[in-house]
Structures are given as C-alpha cells and as structure tokens.
Amino acid sequence: MTKHTFRKKWGQNFLQDPNIIRKIVAQLDPQPHDIVIEIGSGQGALTFELAKQVNTVHAVEIDPILVDYLNERAPENVNVIHQDILELDLHQFSGDVKIIGNLPYNITSPIMFKFLDWPVWSKMVFMTQREVAQRITSIHGNKTYGRLSVMTQALSDVELSFTVPKTVFFPQPDVTSAILTFEPISTSVTDLDHFSHVVKQAFGQRRKTLRNTLKGLFSADELGDFSGKRAEELSVQDFITLSTLK
Ligand code: SAH
C-alpha cells in the first residue's frame, strides 16, 4: 500500500507482526460457527487471519481507501462495511457474535460502551493504549480507579490479557498498547443512566466525601456508611448497591 497516507485522526497504526496477530486472534477463541464484527479493519491484519478460522467476519472501516483495499483482497466470508463504527446499526447482527478491534484511540470509550450496552456478544477483544487498559481494569483503592473502571466492570468481566509493544506496528504509535478481554455478565445495574450519573457525580471531585459529592442525589441517611467515604474507596458492587437505593 505505497500510496496510502496514514491518517492520524483515524488512529491508523497497522499491525505488522504475524506472531502478535495470531496471538490477538487466538485471544478471541475463534470457533468455526462464530460471526465476528471487527472494528477498524485497516489493511486486514486481523481480518484475514480471522477469516481462516470463523464463519463470517464483518469488517467495519471508515476510510474509503482502506475499504477499497479490503474489498480487492478479502475472501468470500469477509463482509466489508464502509461505515463509522459509532453509526453502525447492531440490530442486523445475530448468532454467535464476537467483537474484535485494534481501536482508534481517540474514540475508545464511546466504542466500548456502544458494545457494553448491547450484550449479545459472547466475547470481545480490544486493543487500547496500555494506560487506558490499566484504568479500565483497576480496582478500588487504586490511584487509577475511576469512572471508566466502575462503568466497564459493572457491565462486563474484563481483564488486561497482555501488553503489545510499539515495535509491532507501522507507523509506530507513541505509547505501549494492551489487549483487553471482555466476557459478558448478568449485570445487576437496573437503570444505566442513573448508575452512570451517580458514578460521574461521585468521581467529579475525587477528594471529597460522598456526603458532599452526592448531596443532591441521596440524603445522609440513605448514604449510611458510604457517607464519609470517597468514591475511590467504593467497590464496583458498592456503587451498584448505592445506585439501587433509589
Ligand atoms: N485492525 C487494523 C487497523 C487498526 S488501526 C490493524 O490492527 O492493523 C485503526 C483502524 O480503525 C484504522 O484502519 C482506521 O481507519 C479505522 N477507524 C478509525 N475510526 C473509525 C471509525 N469511527 N469507524 C470505523 N473504523 C474506524
């Protein structure tokens, strides 16, 4: 692809190393009957490896030049979709769905929550910046524990599986990446908007106690033992308990 200029705004860092490509694909535990949605297929590094192992790959890509590139080379079981992943209508997919993506770093969160809010998949494997992956998987009491950790862990079982060095990409990104693996859970969050609001308020001023940050939402009585604590001291389960108080 000599003529393709890499678009920084679309987070284009393409995987080059066959070993790491195989390792990432294996992390999705691909099965012959699987339907895989791939976010940002680029030059098909993950796409073509996946296509050898699963029934169908829906390869979603925003860059028209890369869409042409993929269409010219894709085997029959790859369905190239020229669309912004954030606009993609998920209702069209059913069956044994799994999701994979070396995510464009500037829209990692909206992409992640789009799929966390659509619990049809049986596994997701996302590559993000290592620092973001650490925040997502952080637990309470930790400096990096925050809104992102609580929201993600309330909706899924997520682990940081392994890190990926810059050197396996072209062009090389500025920072180390990491692979996150998501498994579905049956969440006890009943009202996601309310839950999200409580978590946002609580972490809005990290150093203040919940008595202060959640003043408008809960009375001191309702807060009980949580009242004198700071957001970072509450586990994900604590937040779920808190949000179901009312
Ligand atoms: N999967 C490939 C490419 C990863 S780079 C590999 O690992 O080598 C991220 C890819 O996401 C790029 O191809 C970029 O064009 C694409 N992309 C960026 N924003 C997107 C969006 N909103 N919707 C779909 N694809 C997007």
Side-chain angles (χ1 to χ4, degrees):
M1 270 209 59
T2 44
K3 287 206 180 116
H4 185 252
T5 34
F6 297 96
R7 306 294 295 270
K8 212 169 168 150
K9 72 163 176 175
W10 283 330
Q12 294 182 348
N13 302 101
F14 298 138
L15 284 164
Q16 303 287 314
D17 178 316
N19 290 319
I20 200 87
I21 290 167
R22 277 194 291 270
K23 190 173 174 189
I24 295 168
V25 166
Q27 190 62 32
L28 194 64
D29 186 26
Q31 302 296 323
H33 48 83
D34 285 340
I35 310 289
V36 176
I37 303 173
E38 191 197 357
I39 301 158
S41 294
Q43 296 177 336
L46 299 169
T47 327
F48 299 150
E49 181 59 33
L50 277 162
K52 293 185 213 159
Q53 303 186 36
V54 304
N55 183 301
T56 309
V57 183
H58 296 285
V60 184
E61 175 53 58
I62 200 168
D63 183 339
I65 296 172
L66 293 171
V67 168
D68 288 347
Y69 180 93
L70 289 163
N71 272 323
E72 277 164 26
R73 290 162 180 80
E76 289 228 319
N77 62 337
V78 173
N79 170 34
V80 181
I81 303 176
H82 181 201
Q83 201 165 21
D84 179 340
I85 189 68
L86 297 175
E87 307 283 321
L88 185 72
D89 178 8
L90 298 177
H91 291 106
Q92 61 188 302
F93 305 104
S94 60
D96 298 317
V97 177
K98 289 180 180 167
I99 327 280
I100 196 167
N102 167 10
L103 300 185
Y105 63 91
N106 56 336
I107 49 171
T108 298
S109 288
I111 294 175
M112 214 174 61
F113 287 109
K114 175 175 179 129
F115 288 96
L116 287 174
D117 205 14
W118 179 69
V120 168
W121 44 271
S122 60
K123 204 181 263 282
M124 302 202 290
V125 169
F126 287 163
M127 178 147 52
T128 67
Q129 297 181 322
R130 177 174 57 183
E131 182 265 331
V132 175
Q134 284 168 338
R135 282 200 279 134
I136 287 170
T137 53
S138 186
I139 58 168
H140 63 288
N142 214 295
K143 231 195 211 155
T144 51
Y145 181 70
R147 195 174 151 203
L148 196 54
S149 337
V150 177
M151 293 306 299
T152 318
Q153 293 170 36
L155 297 174
S156 68
D157 180 1
V158 56
E159 64 155 39
L160 196 165
S161 305
F162 53 91
T163 58
V164 180
K166 307 177 206 182
T167 49
V168 299
F169 298 93
F170 188 82
Q172 284 192 23
D174 298 332
V175 295
T176 303
S177 301
I179 294 294
L180 289 167
T181 308
F182 298 78
E183 309 253 353
I185 56 169
S186 76
T187 181
S188 347
V189 175
T190 45
D191 180 345
L192 187 56
D193 285 342
H194 177 60
F195 182 73
S196 168
H197 186 58
V198 170
V199 176
K200 188 178 177 184
Q201 284 283 120
F203 282 103
Q205 294 162 292
R206 285 184 78 98
R207 309 192 53 117
K208 292 199 171 173
T209 59
L210 300 181
R211 185 190 298 128
N212 293 300
T213 54
L214 299 182
K215 204 160 35 195
L217 288 168
F218 305 98
S219 68
D221 260 8
E222 286 165 338
L223 286 175
D225 288 346
F226 296 137
S227 162
K229 294 194 170 167
R230 284 175 284 129
E232 66 196 41
E233 296 177 274
L234 265 61
S235 69
V236 175
Q237 188 51 53
D238 287 339
F239 273 107
I240 295 175
T241 306
L242 186 60
S243 78
T244 47
L245 283 180
K246 74 173 198 191

